[in-house]
Amino acid sequence: MTAMMKATVFVAPGRIELVDKPIPAIGPNDALIRITTTTICGTDVHILKGEYPVVPGLTIGHEPVGVIEKLGSAVQGYQEGQRVIAGAICPNFNSYAAQDGAPSQDGSYLIPLHQCGGHGYKATAGWRFGNLIDGTQAEYVLVPDAQANLAPIPDGLSDEQVLMCPDIMSTGFKGAENANIKLGDTVVVFAQGPIGLCATAGARLMGATTVIAVDGNDHRLGISKVMGADVTLNFRNCDVVSEVMKLTGGRGADSAIEALGTQATFEQALRVLKPGGTLSSLGVYSSDLTIPMSAFAAGLGDHRINTALCPGGKERMRRLMNVVASQRVDLGVLVTHTYKLDDIVAAYELFANQRDGVLKVAIKPN
Ligand SMILES: [Zn+2]
């Protein structure tokens, strides 16, 4: 008889369900992870609402913390029973795309399916969990290319302390890394959801000395201060662009990080920049963007616009866990609620409606 597990699957727009599925069989390059903690991402809510399409029946979720249950025959240097995480993005690091510095855009596993030429370049294809293969909101998950993606958890760190590493922290910090921040810079971070809060913490770690956090929710702006913001601006109470100009003596910010994915935040991020400044975009946009001519200096302003998908891989995860272990930042404050996997539908309801001051929900299969 096939051993079964519980898994959270997308059924139809507006509907996810906890169902029984077979525990997956492993191939030589895989690892089977028993999930001890996972979480729900804003992207999962887009999937639930039908705004981001996935195949019905797919297990969703892409943030795994767990224990190695079984290792594929080709995976070396790990032990069964070891506590590990894997990035939300699981490249295999063999492709031209990965070796060209864009591993998150690595679709080389699609080559045998004739969906990706022979090169591996395919935008966003590094995101496999809960997108193209079964994800982490289950009792077990199969990690592909495990040798490249399994990262052992340092002793002494709890599941909650590393739960942000696979996605939220990796993405938020990438926003800061992509912002060309120099010591003494002024950086404005638009939106203070979990990713924006990590971008705020990352901007400070990168050496910004004036971090300005922008959101419409005072509760979140309170947490921005804990995460390292020097100034908080509630866009409902002020004109953000003129406030930033005031704060910078009319110079403009050195960098702006966009962590939401709307025309309004993208446009304001451009408008607060100094000439020569960098806009680091993290948002997932769901419609066309317009670039305002005046803020763009007609294309002659030496602005840089960088975009990113969450970086994955074991070296990325090792570094992020080092940041946590060295107590440079405490992301435990982002985990505001805990639910059993059995109650995940209720957890989605809470998270999707942003009730009770929720930031991130820890989901525990047992
Ligand atoms: Zn995510």
Side-chain angles (χ1 to χ4, degrees):
M1 211 180 82
T2 318
M4 304 295 279
M5 66 172 187
K6 287 178 199 156
T8 311
V9 301
F10 171 78
V11 180
R15 207 165 130 217
I16 55 158
E17 275 175 16
L18 196 62
V19 302
D20 290 322
K21 268 193 176 186
I23 295 174
I26 65 169
N29 297 310
D30 302 328
L32 182 68
I33 303 303
R34 179 171 57 80
I35 295 289
T36 51
T37 308
T38 183
T39 179
I40 303 170
C41 179
T43 311
D44 298 324
V45 175
H46 287 299
I47 292 173
L48 168 64
K49 290 180 176 168
E51 295 162 358
Y52 183 94
V54 299
V55 176
L58 187 81
T59 305
I60 48 184
H62 49 262
E63 295 158 280
V65 181
V67 172
I68 299 174
E69 182 81 7
K70 221 180 226 180
L71 286 167
S73 56
V75 186
Q76 304 293 317
Y78 300 89
Q79 288 94 45
E80 289 169 5
Q82 205 171 10
R83 293 178 67 225
V84 291
I85 63 172
I89 307 302
C90 288
N92 75 8
F93 293 98
N94 288 334
S95 70
Y96 290 95
Q99 293 190 20
D100 196 30
S104 296
Q105 318 301 334
D106 176 357
S108 55
Y109 60 97
L110 297 169
I111 294 171
L113 306 173
H114 307 290
Q115 291 173 13
C116 195
H119 42 72
Y121 288 95
K122 193 169 175 68
T124 75
W127 173 31
R128 288 194 258 183
F129 287 140
N131 179 29
L132 300 170
I133 64 172
D134 277 337
T136 62
Q137 289 165 11
E139 289 180 279
Y140 295 89
V141 68
L142 207 59
V143 177
D145 296 304
Q147 188 78 48
N149 288 298
L150 287 184
I153 300 171
D155 289 341
L157 293 188
S158 68
D159 280 18
E160 280 75 8
Q161 282 177 292
V162 298
L163 183 58
M164 299 305 121
C165 296
D167 182 1
I168 303 305
M169 182 186 187
S170 189
T171 303
F173 274 35
K174 184 64 180 173
E177 291 165 286
N178 266 356
N180 292 321
I181 295 168
K182 296 189 288 297
L183 286 168
D185 270 354
T186 295
V187 178
V188 188
V189 186
F190 286 88
Q192 295 290 285
I195 287 174
L197 287 166
C198 285
T200 295
R204 191 174 180 115
L205 281 173
M206 297 290 292
T209 47
T210 306
V211 179
I212 303 169
V214 181
D215 201 277
N217 178 321
D218 283 328
H219 174 67
R220 290 190 171 196
L221 289 171
I223 298 163
S224 310
K225 291 265 190 184
V226 177
M227 300 297 281
D230 300 282
V231 180
T232 57
L233 298 176
N234 186 325
F235 64 77
R236 298 181 201 282
N237 308 332
C238 70
D239 179 324
V240 171
V241 177
S242 60
E243 282 301 316
V244 171
M245 288 305 159
K246 241 185 269 170
L247 286 162
T248 57
R251 183 175 181 270
D254 299 289
S255 308
I257 302 171
E258 198 287 341
L260 186 61
T262 67
Q263 174 68 33
T265 46
F266 181 88
E267 190 171 325
Q268 288 191 17
L270 200 53
R271 289 190 187 281
V272 300
L273 280 186
K274 68 177 185 186
T278 300
L279 193 171
S280 170
S281 167
L282 294 174
V284 181
Y285 301 91
S286 50
S287 59
D288 289 346
L289 282 176
T290 304
I291 291 185
M293 186 78 140
S294 57
F296 195 50
L300 306 174
D302 284 337
H303 296 113
R304 276 160 289 186
I305 299 177
N306 290 324
T307 68
L309 172 61
C310 175
K314 63 184 176 185
E315 171 63 4
R316 176 71 173 177
M317 294 302 117
R318 185 190 70 81
R319 285 173 182 273
L320 295 178
M321 288 191 287
N322 275 353
V323 174
V324 173
S326 64
Q327 301 180 347
R328 293 298 198 275
V329 64
D330 177 12
L331 302 177
V333 297
L334 301 185
V335 183
T336 51
H337 294 73
T338 299
Y339 278 73
K340 284 186 183 307
L341 179 63
D342 286 336
D343 302 324
I344 194 162
V345 174
Y348 264 92
E349 210 268 319
L350 173 97
F351 185 72
N353 295 301
Q354 294 188 12
R355 283 198 283 105
D356 301 341
V358 65
L359 285 168
K360 289 289 277 186
V361 184
I363 304 290
K364 307 261 185 189
N366 284 299

